[in-house]
Amino acid sequence: MDIGTAEIIDDIDEPKRRRSGLFGGSGPGNGGRQDPGGGGGDNPQEDDELDLTRFVPGKSRILTGLLLMAVIMTFGGLIAAYIVTATNNAIEWRPFDLPGQIWISTAIILISSITYHLAKLAIDRNDQPAAKRWLIATTALGAAFISSQLLAWLALNLRGFYFHGNPYAGFFYVLTAVHAVHVLGGITALGAVLLKSWYPTADSQQIAKRMTLGQVVGWYWHFMGGLWIVLFILLGFWK
């Protein structure tokens, strides 16, 4: 009985020793799974950290799409209110000729769309010097657009058109001011693209980031240009 009992215990203990060696034991029973370099290459925690730093272009595109939808809803409500008020034939509704600065603003923002398109083409072919030049030009044109808007508001004030007392003037200030705020946001995004593209790089990950950032900022910038054309037609010809 003693001999038989000893044999049963040995048979039970042996698989336990084999299992402990298979799942991380340091002995020879681990089947050669131990990393000779210290186990760093098979560490799942390090793999997770690498996944967290991996660039995912789709996220940037989705966020930009949601932002543009919010902008559309904001201006959609303002434009709808403008149209309803303009068609009510109220006595207080007194349209005026647009100041000359508005025409200058329109030309500036259209040219800025062209320069940004050229910058995006340079980013896509990884031509860093050309991309930097065109991005600087686009940023300067964006600043010139804001300056032109400020001059337009000043000209209207000098002509006696204020926010209160004339719904048309009120809508003019509100629509152009809200648009200017969004353009300022676009100028900030242009600065981010410019900083990303300031120095040449051969790293494929960095190139992918630049191309995606250039694409989504381009969506926003061109959208601001198209939106301004809508406002220009609305304020200038739908009175």
Side-chain angles (χ1 to χ4, degrees), residues 4 12 23 26 39 50 55-58 61 89 123-124 133 148 151 160-161 167-168 174 182 204 209-210 219 237:
I12 294 174
F23 290 100
S26 59
L50 291 175
F55 177 63
V56 182
R61 298 188 180 105
N89 297 320
I123 292 172
D124 289 343
R133 286 196 303 269
S148 179
L151 292 175
F161 297 112
Y168 175 79
V174 169
H182 285 81
S204 59
K209 286 183 179 180
R210 293 181 182 186
W219 291 349
F237 302 99

Side-chain angles (χ1 to χ4, degrees), residues 185-224:
I187 293 174
T188 304
L190 282 173
V193 180
L194 183 58
L195 290 176
K196 281 285 185 182
S197 305
W198 194 260
Y199 297 105
T201 183
D203 183 77
S204 59
Q205 183 85 342
Q206 290 299 321
I207 292 173
K209 286 183 179 180
R210 293 181 182 186
M211 292 176 64
T212 303
L213 187 59
Q215 182 185 49
V216 297
V217 173
W219 291 349
Y220 185 88
W221 192 257
H222 295 314
F223 183 82
M224 286 297 109

Side-chain angles (χ1 to χ4, degrees), residues 4-80:
T5 304
E7 289 177 352
I8 293 173
I9 293 174
D10 289 341
D11 291 340
I12 294 174
D13 289 340
E14 182 62 23
K16 290 183 179 179
R17 287 194 296 270
R18 290 176 181 174
R19 285 195 296 269
S20 64
L22 179 63
F23 290 100
S26 59
N30 61 0
R33 293 175 180 263
Q34 185 176 1
D35 185 6
D42 294 333
N43 190 343
Q45 184 176 0
E46 292 184 2
D47 293 340
D48 292 339
E49 291 175 357
L50 291 175
D51 291 338
L52 291 175
T53 59
R54 186 173 293 114
F55 177 63
V56 182
K59 292 182 179 179
S60 301
R61 298 188 180 105
I62 292 173
L63 289 175
T64 305
L66 293 175
L67 174 61
L68 292 179
M69 289 180 61
V71 174
I72 290 173
M73 289 187 290
T74 299
F75 280 93
L78 291 174
I79 291 173

Side-chain angles (χ1 to χ4, degrees), residues 131-159:
K132 185 164 67 173
R133 286 196 303 269
W134 290 117
L135 286 172
I136 292 174
T138 306
T139 305
L141 288 170
F145 175 84
I146 297 297
S147 300
S148 179
Q149 292 296 94
L150 292 174
L151 292 175
W153 299 332
L154 179 61
L156 289 178
N157 272 269
L158 293 176
R159 289 165 55 184

